[in-house]
């Protein structure tokens, strides 16, 4: 299968130059190169510009509520562990309203891939400050500049026990495709935080802003070291791209669960029980 064959009949409506196009192409390329069939893949999205992703990829999809990407994706995976489950969310969706779900999915190590379109703004609602907007930036909702410290998703992920943490960039789509492939192949929760410029409503974080600050981790980088990962996570003036941390020693949630580890729930026999006596008690 070629990536183009994963297009639907819907034309993307993202702004010209939006970083979501690169994520879309990288995701289609990853699915195609891994040889996954569309009926083996489920994409789940929340609310925001990232949420439109389910409309543009020809596989199963679920457009969930704001901040509820992870619970829905987890439910899909637990119902049928044989599916490849890929969640897409924005920084507002995942690191704001959905932050609690984000933390718990990582400590459980559910086998899903979570791609966060991190553009440091609420782009769909035209430019309010999000959890990752940097301190001091003036937005529609912060006319005197943001006074909150930004959420650091890499630090949060390391602290919560994530077993795969990577950072991609819309300006490096080939690298992003490889990171998505690695995330899908990882047996456990995979976070791919993507630096994604919003060219219309977050012009402080443009391609020029990131082009001058991103760098690729080299082959000598030891991604099994949490100490290394924390050092990278706390870098303020530059952003490392690549696999920042990976741990293959921890089993996934499904592999540990006594009910799930042998057979998917959808493959189990459904037992029909007569509950008429119970219902009659409430008449």
């Amino acid at each position: 299968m070629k990536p183009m064959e994963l297009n639907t009949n819907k034309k993307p409506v993202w702004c010209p130059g939006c970083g979501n196009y690169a994520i879309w192409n990288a995701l289609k390329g990853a699915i195609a190169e891994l040889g996954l069939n569309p009926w083996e893949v489920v994409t789940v999205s929340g609310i925001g510009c990232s949420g439109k992703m389910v409309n543009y990829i020809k596989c199963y999809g679920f457009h969930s509520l704001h901040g509820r990407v992870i619970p829905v994706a987890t439910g899909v995976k637990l119902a049928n562990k044989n599916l490849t489950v890929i969640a897409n969310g924005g920084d507002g969706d995942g690191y704001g309203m959905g932050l609690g779900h984000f933390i718990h999915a990582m400590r459980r190590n559910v086998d899903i891939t979570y791609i966060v379109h991190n553009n440091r703004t609420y782009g769909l609602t035209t430019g309010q400050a999000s959890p990752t907007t940097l301190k001091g930036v003036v937005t529609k909702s912060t006319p005197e500049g943001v006074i909150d410290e930004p959420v650091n998703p890499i630090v949060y992920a390391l602290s919560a026990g994530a077993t795969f943490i990577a950072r991609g960039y819309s300006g490096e789509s080939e690298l992003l495709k490889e990171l998505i492939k690695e995330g899908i192949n990882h047996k456990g929760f995979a976070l791919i935080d993507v630096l994604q410029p919003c060219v219309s409503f977050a012009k402080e974080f443009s391609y020029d802003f990131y082009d001058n600050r991103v760098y690729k981790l080299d082959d000598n980088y030891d991604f099994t070291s949490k100490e290394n990962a924390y050092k990278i996570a706390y870098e303020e003036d530059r952003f490392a791209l690549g696999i920042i941390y990976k741990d293959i020693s921890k089993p996934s949630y499904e592999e540990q669960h006594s009910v799930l580890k042998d057979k998917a729930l959808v493959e189990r026999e459904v037992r029909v029980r007569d509950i008429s006596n119970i219902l009659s008690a409430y008449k």
Side-chain angles (χ1 to χ4, degrees), residues 43-213:
T43 58
V44 180
S45 291
I47 300 301
C49 295
S50 61
K52 301 179 187 298
M53 189 67 79
V54 296
N55 299 321
Y56 308 141
I57 294 187
K58 190 183 294 181
C59 58
Y60 289 112
F62 193 111
H63 200 158
S64 67
L65 300 175
H66 198 205
R68 303 295 179 258
V69 176
I70 295 295
V72 174
T74 298
V76 173
K77 189 66 181 181
L78 298 189
N80 189 351
K81 65 177 184 176
N82 301 321
L83 294 170
T84 295
V85 181
I86 303 167
N88 283 276
D91 46 296
D93 187 281
Y95 302 151
M97 186 177 287
L99 187 61
H101 302 305
F102 177 57
I103 297 295
H104 290 295
M106 290 186 290
R107 73 179 181 85
R108 291 171 180 145
N109 203 29
V110 180
D111 186 15
I112 60 179
T113 302
Y114 187 31
I115 303 170
V116 181
H117 306 214
N118 185 356
N119 58 12
R120 302 180 187 272
T121 189
Y122 283 96
L124 189 66
T125 50
T126 70
Q128 295 78 26
S130 85
T132 55
T133 306
L134 298 184
K135 197 170 183 178
V137 173
V138 174
T139 73
K140 287 184 175 178
S141 60
T142 57
E144 297 182 355
V146 174
I147 59 173
D148 301 321
E149 293 293 337
V151 165
N152 187 325
I154 306 300
V155 171
Y156 279 38
L158 286 166
S159 302
T163 54
F164 183 98
I165 304 169
R167 183 190 282 140
Y169 170 43
S170 290
E172 294 283 352
S173 59
E174 279 299 311
L175 173 61
L176 179 57
K177 179 186 69 179
E178 295 303 318
L179 294 176
I180 294 173
K181 287 165 62 180
E182 292 278 353
I184 292 173
N185 282 332
H186 178 70
K187 298 302 179 187
F189 188 93
L191 168 67
I192 304 171
D193 182 70
V194 184
L195 306 175
Q196 178 243 315
C198 173
V199 296
S200 297
F201 302 110
K203 296 182 178 178
E204 295 85 354
F205 309 112
S206 63
Y207 285 97
D208 286 342
F209 173 87
Y210 286 117
D211 286 344
N212 293 322
R213 291 169 174 79

Side-chain angles (χ1 to χ4, degrees), residues 34-47:
L34 290 174
L36 298 172
N37 294 309
W39 56 88
E40 298 172 321
V41 179
V42 181
T43 58
V44 180
S45 291
I47 300 301

Side-chain angles (χ1 to χ4, degrees), residues 240-268:
L241 305 179
I243 299 175
I244 295 172
Y245 181 72
K246 185 176 179 179
D247 175 9
I248 60 171
S249 66
K250 184 178 178 180
S252 69
Y253 186 81
E254 307 86 273
E255 290 171 329
Q256 300 175 79
H257 200 291
S258 60
V259 175
L260 301 173
K261 62 183 179 182
D262 295 329
K263 185 184 292 186
L265 286 183
V266 295
E267 296 174 334
R268 292 182 176 275

